[in-house]
């Protein structure tokens, strides 16, 4: 049987005259941090202090033991970041140039000192750039000349932390006769029959060549066995009545163990095991009266995708543990998200990521790793790209959660729109990957899954790549230049990116910027804001609705609350509008779920894992049932979305109310919404009247509420907000309290910031609007000394101008 010796221990990192203890998986930054030789790059402006690390060459060393019990020993690196020369006792073993694939070297019968020498990534990128010629890039980074996580060179939400190291495990694999070198399970469902076609590849030693071996596969109590004469075999398993895997909210996520064993007579040589799921997936891109659709269809059911974009959860990805993946993805699931798009400037994530998605019913859209630049198609890159694509398609295809392969992020758009096309003057830029190589690789290796050439992409060059009427659309104009109300001006077929920035939680800022007198433009705040004119856009976003607070202390607190509030309102405006246009619009993928360090960004969950108000808002926006009031050309529209499997007879009450709480009109309205449908109903204006000066609309149904204020907040005559605060223990849970707020006036967008009570405290509720006399209960966990005084100080709401 194959034996594995993990080589995660015993490594040293040469630094000046010393050899530092090194951790694998890890990287030079984590090793230097552990040795106390560099400060934490996430704190203050330390990013600059540690910049030198990325410009040096680094060498890791370890001793490897010899093995004589097997015919063959392979040294396997699951991830080398990035440009290495590897030697064993001074003799070259090989060189590597790709962070996104594994590398295997035959070290049979050998022991001695292993050295992995890393060339600085920029130096390697520069060598390639000189040989293939310059290509455009949105960022100053040379990320398109090296197969390394693009955002490690810095992004508009990320620091520049160019690391090096063995970021995934290293091991010795000892084997005789043969080993399993590749397994591709193709899972299909036809009627009530599931089928798993297992395509097996084996590698043999010289002694194993020509031997008849046996491969056995089993799933769901069904077994099959074949003889393997040479390097390949096909095993087919027919599974009657498999339970279907569904995205969350649509059904359960049954998973089945698929096991494969390779044997030589009675001797087992190697085994392979994964969990699979039975489901079908199609992407409907049919042309219709609105253009060209983009609708995911799972098990025959057409879905509105409730999505978020995912970036690497740490700019040093070797630090992301399975537990952290589980925590972050559980947060996503708890916010009623059902699709996560892994963005192309990051990484193919660890197995643990996709395992959790399989379990939670989170659909995964996986980008191939190309983002925001023109990629040369010459060698040595072309071969690396193909090898990396083939390996990762095979690695990830067993996961039922994986529903879509996507060629790149924004490169087809960039070519057409951002001035690349004329400058390239015929040079390669990646089109051959997105429209040639990658769809060919997917069709060959993973033909059960859809592929799209890019995001955004209209489906062909006949339309502009970001044409909202065709395929996927990225909506960035609104954040960059306009008020969020302008999301309502278009109905794209699928919004694969849109979003609004806000600063992280206060406790996150305090940790990242110790001692700083926080102001929107204080040095640390500016350093932890990487977007072009990011603070300008934040401020203008606030100013369109509120009086902009400037300065420190209470003004900063106000600015912080308002920027977070506007972020939540902006994303809400988009999702409420687009979701109510189902099935014409078939998905929204918010930019972005998470962060890779503490920073002002579009994220809903900040770099320390704390929840912004947007996070709670997503839970409301992505719930099966959503009630909205939306401005429309002829007044106001009531939008009702019902993504549940049962019809919704919505008995809505709409009120026209004054700022002091006097109800001027009240209209009951019954709206029938079919299962998995959406309705846009005009308001009965004749009976209700439209809100005049100092009035607003409130709609309520089944515990859901929508409000509509006809003027910007700074023009609305809000009363000075008055409310009582009580803190009550929760029986049976000593760690948790209820903060009960009773309003005496209109209280708009009340928010409890739990990290002001204790850094790790978490609240279950975000923004709430209360009418006079109404009460809300906010449950807070992890606050050791609960008291109404601090609770009141942690509460914010809209104030009169
Ligand atoms: C899109 C993304 C990212 C970027 C985000 C915010 O372009 O693809 O490149 O971080 O917008 O600007």
């Amino acid at each position: 049987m194959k034996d594995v010796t993990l080589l995660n221990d015993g490594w040293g990192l040469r630094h000046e005259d010393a050899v530092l203890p090194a951790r694998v998986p890890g990287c030079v930054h984590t090793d230097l941090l552990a040795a106390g030789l560099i400060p934490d790059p996430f704190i203050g402006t330390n990013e600059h202090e540690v910049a030198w690390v990325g410009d040096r060459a680094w060498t890791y060393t370890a001793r490897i033991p010899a093995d004589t019990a097997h015919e063959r020993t392979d040294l396997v690196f699951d991830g080398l970041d990035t440009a290495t020369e590897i030697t064993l006792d001074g003799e070259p073993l090989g060189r590597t140039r790709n962070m996104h694939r594994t590398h295997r070297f035959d070290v049979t019968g050998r022991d001695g000192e292993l050295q992995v020498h890393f060339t600085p990534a920029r130096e390697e990128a520069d060598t390639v750039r000189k040989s293939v010629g310059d290509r455009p890039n949105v960022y100053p980074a040379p990320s398109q000349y090296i197969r390394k996580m693009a955002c490690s060179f810095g992004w508009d939400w990320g620091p520049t932390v160019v690391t090096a190291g063995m970021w995934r495990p290293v091991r010795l694999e000892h084997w005789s006769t043969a080993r399993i070198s590749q397994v591709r399970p193709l899972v299909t469902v036809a009627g009530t029959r599931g089928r798993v076609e297992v395509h097996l590849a084996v590698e043999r030693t010289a002694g194993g060549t020509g031997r008849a071996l046996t491969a056995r596969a089993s799933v769901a109590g069904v077994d099959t066995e074949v003889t393997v004469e040479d390097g390949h075999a096909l095993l087919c398993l027919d599974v009657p009545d498999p339970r279907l895997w569904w995205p969350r909210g649509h059904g359960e996520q049954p998973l089945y163990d698929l096991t494969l064993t390779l044997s030589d007579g009675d001797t087992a040589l190697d085994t392979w095991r994964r969990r699979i799921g039975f489901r079908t997936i199609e992407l409907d891109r049919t042309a219709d009266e609105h253009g060209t659709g983009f609708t995911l269809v799972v098990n025959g059911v057409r879905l509105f995708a409730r999505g978020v974009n995912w970036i690497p959860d740490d700019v040093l990805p070797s630090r992301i543990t399975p537990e952290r993946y589980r925590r972050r993805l559980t947060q996503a699931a708890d916010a009623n998200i059902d699709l996560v798009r892994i963005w192309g400037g990051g990484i193919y994530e660890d197995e643990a990521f996709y395992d959790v998605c399989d379990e939670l019913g989170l659909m995964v859209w996986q980008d191939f790793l190309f983002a925001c630049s023109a990629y040369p198609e010459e060698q040595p890159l072309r071969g690396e790209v193909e090898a990396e694509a083939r390996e990762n398609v095979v690695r990830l295809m067993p996961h039922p959660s994986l529903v879509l392969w996507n060629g790149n992020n924004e490169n087809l758009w960039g070519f057409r729109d951002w001035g690349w096309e004329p400058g390239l003057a015929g040079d390669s830029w990646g089109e051959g990957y997105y429209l040639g190589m990658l769809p060919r690789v997917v069709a060959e290796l993973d033909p059960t899954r859809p592929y799209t050439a890019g995001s955004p992409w209209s489906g062909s060059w006949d339309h502009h790549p970001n044409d909202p009427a065709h395929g996927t659309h990225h909506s960035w104009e609104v954040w960059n230049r306009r008020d969020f109300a302008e999301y309502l001006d278009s109905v794209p077929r699928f919004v694969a990116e849109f979003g609004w920035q806000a600063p992280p939680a206060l406790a996150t800022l305090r940790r990242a910027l110790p001692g700083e007198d926080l102001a929107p433009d204080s040095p640390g705040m500016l350093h932890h804001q990487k977007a072009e004119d990011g603070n300008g856009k934040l401020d203008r976003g606030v100013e369109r609705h509120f009086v902009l607070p400037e300065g420190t202390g209470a003004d900063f607190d106000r600015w912080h609350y308002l920027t977070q509030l506007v972020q939540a309102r902006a994303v809400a405006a988009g999702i409420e509008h687009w979701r109510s246009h189902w099935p014409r619009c078939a998905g929204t993928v918010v930019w972005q779920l998470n962060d890779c360090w503490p920073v002002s960004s579009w994220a809903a969950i900040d770099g320390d894992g704390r929840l912004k108000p947007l996070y709670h808002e997503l839970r409301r926006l992505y719930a099966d049932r959503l009630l909205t009031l939306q401005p429309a050309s002829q007044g106001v529209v009531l939008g009702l979305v019902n993504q549940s499997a049962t019809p919704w007879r919505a008995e809505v009450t709409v009120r026209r109310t004054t700022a002091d709480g006097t109800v001027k009109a009240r209209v009951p309205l019954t709206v029938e919404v079919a299962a998995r449908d959406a309705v846009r109903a005009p308001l009965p204006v004749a009976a209700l009247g439209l809100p005049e000066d100092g009035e607003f609309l409130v709609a309520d149904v089944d515990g859901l509420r929508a409000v509509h204020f006809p003027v910007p907040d700074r023009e609305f005559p809000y009363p000075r907000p008055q409310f009582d605060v009580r803190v009550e223990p929760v029986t049976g849970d000593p760690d948790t309290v209820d903060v009960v707020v009773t309003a005496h006036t209109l209280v708009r967008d009340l928010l409890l910031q739990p990290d002001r009570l204790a850094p790790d405290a978490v609240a279950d509720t975000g923004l709430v609007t209360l009418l006079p006399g109404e009460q809300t209960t906010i449950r807070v966990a992890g606050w050791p000394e609960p008291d109404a005084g601090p609770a009141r100080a942690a509460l914010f709401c809209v104030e009169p101008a």
Side-chain angles (χ1 to χ4, degrees):
M1 186 69 161
K2 184 171 90 181
D3 265 343
V4 173
T5 312
L6 281 181
L7 284 185
N8 290 345
D9 297 324
W11 288 93
L13 170 64
R14 285 209 196 123
H15 177 52
E16 285 158 7
D17 294 333
V19 177
L20 309 175
R23 280 180 70 117
V24 174
C27 65
V28 285
H29 286 86
T30 52
D31 291 329
L32 294 169
L33 271 169
L37 292 172
I38 55 168
D40 183 344
F42 288 7
I43 305 298
T45 53
N46 288 347
E47 178 192 349
H48 296 317
E49 311 299 307
V50 306
W52 61 270
V53 176
D55 296 328
R56 293 238 183 132
W58 295 96
T59 303
Y60 282 88
T61 57
R63 288 204 72 77
I64 60 166
D67 171 84
T68 48
H70 298 78
E71 292 172 56
R72 195 52 198 266
T73 297
D74 292 338
L75 170 64
V76 184
F77 295 93
D78 280 345
L80 289 165
D81 175 11
T82 291
T84 73
E85 318 291 326
I86 303 167
T87 60
L88 183 54
D89 274 345
E91 279 179 43
L93 267 187
R95 62 200 288 274
T96 74
R97 292 293 182 272
N98 192 337
M99 173 185 182
H100 306 303
R101 52 184 289 214
T102 60
H103 293 91
R104 177 179 288 268
F105 302 98
D106 183 349
V107 293
T108 305
R110 300 178 64 179
D111 60 358
E113 193 190 61
L114 185 64
Q115 280 203 9
V116 185
H117 177 78
F118 291 85
T119 304
R122 278 201 197 83
E123 190 179 309
E124 166 65 18
D126 216 42
T127 308
V128 174
R129 185 180 60 75
K130 283 186 185 130
S131 87
V132 299
D134 281 339
R135 299 289 193 287
N137 189 328
V138 170
Y139 295 92
S143 53
Q144 71 271 55
Y145 309 107
I146 181 168
R147 297 309 297 154
K148 174 177 170 68
M149 176 173 97
C151 68
S152 64
F153 295 101
W155 216 261
D156 60 2
W157 34 256
T160 302
V161 183
V162 184
T163 198
M166 287 164 274
W167 73 293
R168 283 183 165 156
V170 183
R171 62 185 176 278
L172 292 169
E173 287 188 8
H174 315 283
W175 52 284
S176 298
T177 309
R179 70 174 185 97
I180 296 173
S181 59
Q182 191 187 76
V183 183
R184 288 190 302 117
L186 299 185
V187 184
T188 50
V189 186
T192 58
R193 244 194 41 203
R195 188 175 171 84
V196 187
E197 282 182 14
V198 186
H199 294 258
L200 164 71
V202 299
E203 183 185 4
R204 295 166 183 261
T205 61
T209 306
R211 283 184 83 86
L213 306 175
T214 308
R216 277 185 205 92
S218 112
V219 70
V222 178
D223 301 283
T224 190
E225 185 177 303
V226 296
T227 304
V228 189
E229 305 280 358
D230 51 20
H232 295 272
L234 174 64
L235 298 96
C236 293
L237 296 142
D238 284 304
V239 180
D241 298 316
R243 293 174 58 222
L244 296 183
W245 184 95
W246 288 95
R248 60 183 297 101
H250 293 269
E252 293 183 0
Q253 291 80 41
L255 298 169
Y256 293 86
D257 282 327
L258 170 63
T259 58
L260 184 70
T261 312
L262 181 69
S263 313
D264 180 12
D266 292 337
T267 312
L269 300 174
D270 201 352
T271 58
W272 178 97
R273 179 190 305 266
R274 291 284 189 289
R275 286 181 315 177
I276 60 157
F278 291 90
R279 54 114 187 87
T280 61
I281 172 70
E282 295 150 85
L283 179 61
D284 184 354
R285 283 178 275 200
T286 313
D288 57 22
E289 73 272 28
H290 304 296
T292 317
F294 192 91
T295 306
L296 291 165
V297 187
V298 181
N299 299 327
V301 175
R302 306 169 69 77
L303 306 174
F304 181 96
R306 297 172 261 193
V308 285
N309 282 280
W310 171 276
I311 63 165
D313 208 51
D314 191 323
V315 73
L316 301 174
S318 60
R319 291 198 289 208
I320 310 171
T321 58
E323 295 71 33
R324 178 153 157 191
Y325 276 126
R326 185 171 291 278
R327 196 161 60 240
R328 196 69 69 240
L329 291 164
T330 302
Q331 285 174 318
D334 288 346
N336 293 317
I337 288 159
D338 65 14
L339 178 138
V340 181
R341 170 184 172 221
I342 301 178
W343 164 80
I347 53 176
Y348 302 102
E349 298 288 344
D350 188 77
E351 222 41 33
F353 178 100
Y354 307 90
D355 282 343
V356 177
C357 292
D358 290 344
E359 289 170 27
L360 296 179
L362 290 167
M363 295 180 279
V364 179
W365 152 338
Q366 175 74 55
D367 282 10
F368 286 100
L369 304 183
F370 304 92
C372 299
S373 51
Y375 284 80
E377 294 171 41
E378 286 77 21
Q379 296 293 15
L381 295 166
R382 185 176 189 81
E384 288 298 339
V385 165
E386 174 142 10
E388 157 200 331
R390 299 184 81 86
E391 180 176 325
N392 284 288
V393 167
V394 171
R395 176 168 77 88
L396 302 181
M397 63 188 281
H399 294 280
S401 54
L402 181 61
V403 296
L404 182 65
W405 292 106
N406 170 41
N408 74 84
N409 177 75
E410 296 188 341
N411 295 343
L412 298 155
W413 184 15
F415 173 74
R416 183 50 40 96
D417 240 14
W418 302 345
W420 301 358
E421 191 170 356
L424 281 162
D427 283 350
S428 70
W429 56 275
E431 184 183 26
Y433 298 147
Y434 319 134
L435 296 173
M437 175 201 288
L438 297 172
R440 178 170 47 74
V441 165
V442 172
E444 177 197 327
L445 299 175
D446 186 19
T448 71
R449 259 186 201 89
Y451 171 86
T452 182
S455 188
W457 179 233
S458 57
S460 82
W461 287 117
D462 295 344
H463 306 285
H464 184 283
N466 200 29
D467 186 337
H470 300 277
T472 47
H473 176 70
H474 289 193
S475 178
W476 283 115
E477 221 12 55
V478 173
W479 153 253
N480 283 322
R481 271 168 282 277
R482 302 181 196 285
D483 181 44
F484 57 73
E486 297 193 35
Y487 285 133
L488 278 67
D489 293 347
S490 84
V491 183
R493 310 311 304 271
F494 192 107
V495 186
E497 281 187 15
F498 82 108
W500 207 273
Q501 276 203 350
L506 188 76
T508 304
L509 290 173
R510 292 239 176 277
R511 190 187 76 82
L513 306 175
E516 180 155 315
D517 192 9
L518 295 173
D521 59 353
S522 55
M525 286 298 291
L526 290 180
H527 185 74
H528 289 245
Q529 163 62 279
K530 298 294 191 186
E532 197 191 330
D533 190 26
N535 273 17
K537 291 172 189 173
L538 280 177
D539 285 354
R540 288 191 290 279
V542 170
E543 261 173 329
R544 292 182 193 110
H545 299 262
F546 301 93
V547 176
L548 181 71
E550 282 164 295
T552 58
D555 272 353
F556 176 77
D557 289 347
R558 199 82 212 139
W559 178 85
H560 179 258
Y561 161 75
L562 289 176
T563 46
Q564 288 199 337
L565 169 62
V566 170
Q567 178 191 38
R569 282 202 196 167
V571 172
I575 295 180
E576 290 182 346
H577 165 66
W578 292 319
R579 232 189 132 190
S580 73
H581 279 281
W582 163 261
R584 180 166 162 194
C585 176
T588 47
V589 188
V590 176
W591 188 269
Q592 67 212 69
L593 176 71
N594 59 332
D595 265 329
C596 67
W597 79 314
V599 66
S600 289
S601 84
W602 299 262
I605 303 174
D606 78 18
D608 280 4
R610 295 193 177 92
L611 311 175
K612 295 188 197 174
L614 170 61
Y615 172 87
H616 297 283
E617 197 62 354
L618 283 177
R619 198 167 47 201
R620 178 182 74 82
L621 294 164
Y622 279 160
D624 276 354
R625 289 183 176 171
L626 173 65
L627 174 75
T628 72
L629 283 170
Q630 300 167 24
S633 45
Q634 318 81 343
V636 181
V637 156
L638 187 69
L640 294 105
V641 180
N642 176 28
Q643 210 164 338
S644 75
T646 48
W648 185 18
R649 183 184 166 82
E651 312 221 322
V652 187
T653 306
V654 189
R655 282 175 281 176
R656 181 161 57 86
T657 305
T658 62
D660 68 7
T662 313
V663 176
K664 299 296 279 285
R666 176 193 305 261
V667 176
L669 200 67
T670 303
V671 186
E672 306 277 357
V673 195
R676 302 206 177 90
D677 204 359
V679 169
R680 291 171 57 80
L683 280 186
V685 176
L688 186 67
L690 280 176
E692 293 169 10
D693 271 359
E695 295 178 354
F696 62 103
L697 299 178
V698 191
D700 289 281
V701 65
D702 301 341
L704 307 178
R705 163 162 293 176
V707 294
H708 169 72
F709 286 70
V711 294
D713 295 71
R714 63 177 141 63
E715 290 169 26
F716 190 80
Y718 288 107
R720 189 143 300 285
Q722 287 174 32
F723 52 84
D724 290 336
V725 182
R726 238 171 35 239
V727 176
E728 294 176 353
V730 174
T731 335
D733 193 347
D735 192 39
T736 302
V737 292
D738 282 336
V739 176
V740 183
V741 181
T742 311
H744 301 305
T745 59
L746 167 65
V747 178
R748 177 113 197 254
D749 286 319
L750 179 76
L751 176 73
L752 178 81
Q753 295 189 351
D755 56 297
R756 286 176 184 269
L757 303 172
D760 294 328
V762 182
D764 73 344
T765 308
L767 300 159
V768 192
T769 291
L770 299 173
L771 304 186
E774 288 185 336
Q775 196 171 76
T776 189
T777 300
I778 305 167
R779 185 151 285 191
V780 180
W783 177 24
E785 290 168 44
D787 181 36
R792 177 169 274 282
L795 283 162
F796 292 80
C797 66
V798 174
E799 307 263 359

